[in-house]
Amino acid sequence: LKTDITCYKVAEPKNVTNLTSSTKTAFTLAEVLITLAIIGIVAVLVIPPLIRNYQSRSWSTASDLFQKRLTEATKQMNTQGQLLGYSSTEDFVNNGLSKYMKIIKKCNKDELDKCFSPKFNYGTEELETSSLTTASNFGKDNWSTDPYGIILDNGTTALLVYNKDCSYIDPYNNQIDGTSCLSVAYDVNGMKTPNTINQDLFTMNAS
């Protein structure tokens, strides 16, 4: 019998080399640590300035809001004929200003550090609030009243000095004649640091 034997060549699979020798790549521990170190350095350089800028803008906005609230309050008092005639700063706050602004705490001149940071930075000096017992400490040598401390409902702390000699011409136009009625130092950050002038602490004259 004659047998017909046919030989078939089996085709080799393509990319055999790739199938047998492919390897998976991964980060080494050293590479991961180096990457984390770089991220940490960048964070240290970038994040603090961003936080300071945010705080500065926040304090500036809060300062503008306080000045607006106090100015509106004194304008209303002037229009109602309730801005003048007080015997002291304490009298002005208790019988006048407290009707137009929500005050949650009041402190006389012997307890000012209970309504204001006990110490604060003014320029290159560190001042103690307890030493601010007269109007002359606010640059008002001819005002014969004592400072008075308050804390507002939003946490802003303030020291005020009232001028008994201020006067107005036209209460409906809020035109004030002569010297200001009020000198104020206020901290929009309350008792929290930095308690530094032109950062979270500001001054103003009202009316």
Side-chain angles (χ1 to χ4, degrees), residues 138-154:
F138 291 75
K140 309 297 180 182
D141 296 331
N142 58 339
W143 292 16
S144 58
T145 54
D146 297 327
Y148 197 71
I150 63 172
I151 299 179
L152 299 181
D153 56 336
N154 65 354

Side-chain angles (χ1 to χ4, degrees), residues 40-74:
I41 293 172
V42 172
V44 168
L45 294 175
V46 173
I47 293 178
L50 291 177
I51 293 176
R52 286 194 295 269
N53 290 338
Y54 170 78
Q55 288 179 331
S56 179
R57 290 194 300 269
S58 176
W59 292 333
S60 178
T61 300
S63 175
D64 293 341
L65 178 61
F66 174 84
Q67 291 196 19
K68 182 178 180 180
R69 289 180 65 185
L70 184 59
T71 300
E72 287 300 318
T74 54

Side-chain angles (χ1 to χ4, degrees), residues 118-161:
K119 294 182 180 181
F120 60 92
N121 301 309
Y122 194 91
T124 58
E125 298 182 83
E126 182 181 67
L127 303 179
E128 294 188 358
T129 299
S130 59
S131 67
L132 306 178
T133 56
T134 66
S136 61
N137 295 126
F138 291 75
K140 309 297 180 182
D141 296 331
N142 58 339
W143 292 16
S144 58
T145 54
D146 297 327
Y148 197 71
I150 63 172
I151 299 179
L152 299 181
D153 56 336
N154 65 354
T156 297
T157 59
L159 302 177
L160 303 86
V161 180

Side-chain angles (χ1 to χ4, degrees), residues 29-39:
L29 178 60
E31 290 173 329
V32 172
L33 292 177
I34 291 172
T35 302
L36 291 176
I38 294 173
I39 293 173

Side-chain angles (χ1 to χ4, degrees), residues 4-25:
D4 185 13
I5 299 175
T6 304
C7 295
Y8 296 92
K9 185 178 180 180
V10 179
E12 295 182 358
K14 296 180 179 180
N15 300 325
V16 173
T17 303
N18 292 339
L19 292 174
T20 58
S21 63
S22 62
T23 58
K24 295 182 179 179
T25 59

